[in-house]
Amino acid sequence: QVQLVESGGGSVQAGGPLRLSCAAFGYTYGPNWMGWFRQAPGKEREGAAIIDSDGRARFAESVKGRFTISKDNAKNTLYLQMNSLKPGGTAMYYCAATSYYRDSVRLTPEDFGYWGRGTQVTVSS
């Protein structure tokens, strides 16, 4: 059974950095796409960054140049380095993975079948 476990959330001042991690369990060969999504109170879940097993990454316009996504395929662990955080970045951050092999995915929750429980990130001004 696939399980995604996030860690690294917390409180940070605007302009500061934070690094999230997501460990994936239960895969035989590992998911080919993984990503980070976030959901602020009262808003829909939105994609922040996704990456495939070959390292091809895609970012939402709102985080480009500030967030970096990386993946350790040997450890089935996903990372999100967030720099220059803004108060608008306060949200629950979720790790997601595809549930079957896909050549490409969109930066939308509908394309991902497995989800972690989330880790809270709070950015204060």
Side-chain angles (χ1 to χ4, degrees), residues 3-7 21-25 36 77-78 95 115-118:
Q3 190 177 8
L4 303 177
V5 181
E6 302 100 334
S7 60
S21 299
C22 170
F25 302 95
W36 291 97
T77 300
L78 181 72
C95 174
W115 292 87
R117 291 188 173 184

Side-chain angles (χ1 to χ4, degrees), residues 35-113:
W36 291 97
F37 292 76
R38 61 186 183 181
Q39 188 167 17
K43 295 189 176 181
E44 292 187 353
R45 192 170 298 187
E46 63 176 12
I50 57 175
I51 187 170
D52 76 353
S53 53
D54 292 327
R56 293 177 296 176
R58 208 176 306 158
F59 298 88
E61 286 298 323
S62 58
V63 307
K64 270 185 183 177
R66 299 186 298 116
F67 288 14
T68 302
I69 188 170
S70 60
K71 187 169 176 284
D72 186 331
N73 290 326
K75 296 181 179 180
N76 275 347
T77 300
L78 181 72
Y79 304 98
L80 184 69
Q81 178 65 45
M82 304 184 290
N83 296 326
S84 303
L85 279 162
K86 302 177 180 180
T90 293
M92 186 71 79
Y93 284 70
Y94 296 91
C95 174
T98 49
S99 54
Y100 58 92
Y101 180 85
R102 301 185 67 148
D103 286 333
S104 65
V105 294
R106 298 165 298 170
L107 193 55
T108 57
E110 291 76 18
D111 284 6
F112 290 80

